[in-house]
Amino acid sequence: MIDGELSRRDQLVRAAFALVAEAGLEGLRLRRVAAEVGIDQSTLHHHVATKAALVAAVAEHAAGLLATTAPPAHLPPAAALRAHLDALADLVARRPELFTVTAELDLRARRDPSVRAVVERQEAGWRAVLTGLFTALGEADPAARTELVIAAVKGVRLVPDLAPLVLAQLGATDRTG
Amino acid sequence: MIDGELSRRDQLVRAAFALVAEAGLEGLRLRRVAAEVGIDQSTLHHHVATKAALVAAVAEHAAGLLATTAPPAHLPPAAALRAHLDALADLVARRPELFTVTAELDLRARRDPSVRAVVERQEAGWRAVLTGLFTALGEADPAARTELVIAAVKGVRLVPDLAPLVLAQLGATDRTG
DNA sequence: TAGCGTCCATCCAGTGATTGATGGGGAGCT
DNA sequence: AGCTCCCCATCAATCACTGGATGGACGCTA
């Protein structure tokens, strides 16, 4: 923690994140997470109390990465929307596992309250940004446009190759391009 | 099988379907499936060889339900697209669990080849229908429009209340309504 | 500096619960 | 008798989690 190294806890969270991307939440095993970091499985419980807590921490980690795509506040709305969608497309291309993990978490959130809390908070922020942009752009129904963007992004999450094709259709204000 | 009753196997598949909708693929337990039908867990293996086979059967069942929304062939393209989207919205409203299950299956398909086969076949059919419609409508980029529709539908799967709002934006040819 | 005590991270072994799957044996029908 | 369908008992494997023990780092006191 003093230097650039990660804390044990952060190492574990990242290892769990990678494992979820590879094997799904269903295939997440504490033993493998611990082994990946090079510690015993029982020692893991010393840093993360329970498996549920680890999953929640993975959700926080994912939310933090997603927040990266928020457009800078100083940009005019049209440019901000473009910047946001570009950042999204970039992130999908460079870190496709992140979106695999969020897809897993969206399903888990239906049954795990602590995961749901994290997912809902992140999505509320995203929703606020988008409606703000579409309102500033003078869209007739900013809420509807917002939900279309969110749905489209969530829908292409598992097929990164198609993301640019889909995202390109969401940027144009007149929705004709 | 002779009369209107379902075969034991079909009963099991539907029970598994319902259980996946409720508890996720992760929470699918053969014991509960069997109990739901009123037979012993060991007897279940007499009708469905393995758990993987049961999941694949659930995928087939879901694909069959989804195929319901295919538009009638005799309709003109604009009306056919509207009919398809309406049928989709109707299905989301009346059977939201179906879309929960397909979301689960989409994730499972990444790791289970037999599930992937079913999911990909169903999606290929859907994709063909949509590109056909958009091509007939004279769209500039039918493939792009197709992927937008698929992504948007997949994205709202877990939030049935928002489905009408999102689907309404996909029907208009000029994409301004 | 030497010696003692405390704390923390780690490991090994084992807990009870639950999982998917199997085998032997019967009930009922033809 | 033979066949289909079914249940009971049980298997081996795996799960998340806990207990007991070891050892090193640090601070304190004389």
Side-chain angles (χ1 to χ4, degrees), chain B residues 26-97:
Chain B
E26 181 180 8
L28 183 64
R29 299 289 174 259
L30 297 188
R31 297 177 135 84
R32 257 195 84 185
V33 175
E36 213 74 33
V37 173
I39 66 176
D40 188 84
Q41 168 258 157
S42 65
T43 306
L44 175 146
H45 286 287
H46 200 273
H47 300 277
V48 183
T50 166
K51 189 182 188 180
L54 179 61
V55 172
V58 168
E60 299 271 11
H61 181 59
L65 292 177
L66 244 10
T68 299
T69 67
H74 59 83
L75 283 183
L81 177 60
R82 238 177 297 123
H84 175 55
L85 292 175
D86 284 353
L88 227 29
D90 204 58
L91 200 55
V92 170
R94 277 207 329 248
R95 306 213 49 183
E97 357 81 54

Side-chain angles (χ1 to χ4, degrees), chain A residues 8 31 39-40 42-43 46-47:
Chain A
R8 262 283 126 90
R31 297 179 134 81
I39 66 174
D40 187 82
S42 66
T43 305
H46 202 277
H47 300 278

